Amino acid sequence: ESVLKPAYPENIQTINEDLDLPKLNCYRLTLREHKVLKISSKGKPVKLIASELGISQKTVEKHRSNIMRKTSSSNIIEAIDKVYGMHGSILN
């Protein structure tokens, strides 16, 4: 009997519940970009973000680049601060 792997990691629902959708619309972030930003706000490196979301590291880097462009930020910490304030979860 074969077991199929889900398309998304099991914890994807938790990530969805944590999203602040009004902020998502403010910066016109896609749902995936918002997920990448939320996980980035917890201080996780690109490799772990990719693993958690089941995407490549290059895709995570592209999402982060898009996030920085859309939020007019020079780095991901600045983007986190603009979207979540007070550096998101990093300080919590």
Side-chain angles (χ1 to χ4, degrees):
E1 184 176 317
S2 68
V3 178
L4 297 176
K5 214 174 175 184
Y8 294 99
E10 292 176 12
N11 60 352
I12 203 78
Q13 185 61 36
T14 303
I15 294 166
N16 286 339
E17 291 168 359
D18 289 341
L19 295 178
D20 182 356
L21 295 178
K23 288 280 190 176
L24 182 146
N25 291 332
C26 174
Y27 289 105
R28 299 183 184 266
L29 300 179
T30 65
L31 186 58
R32 184 58 69 141
E33 288 166 350
H34 212 318
K35 289 174 186 174
V36 167
L37 187 63
K38 186 68 172 181
I39 297 170
S40 295
S41 76
K42 297 178 188 311
K44 293 189 178 181
V46 170
K47 185 174 182 176
L48 289 178
I49 295 168
S51 175
E52 191 166 330
L53 294 176
I55 59 178
S56 74
Q57 291 180 45
K58 188 168 186 135
T59 300
V60 172
E61 290 167 357
K62 180 63 176 170
H63 286 313
R64 287 171 63 140
S65 175
N66 289 340
I67 291 163
M68 290 184 288
R69 179 179 46 80
K70 289 178 179 183
T71 60
S72 300
S73 301
S74 57
N75 58 57
I76 199 66
I77 298 298
E78 184 180 350
I80 291 165
D81 190 42
K82 286 182 177 183
V83 175
Y84 299 119
M86 298 295 295
H87 302 295
S89 299
I90 291 173
L91 297 179
N92 296 329

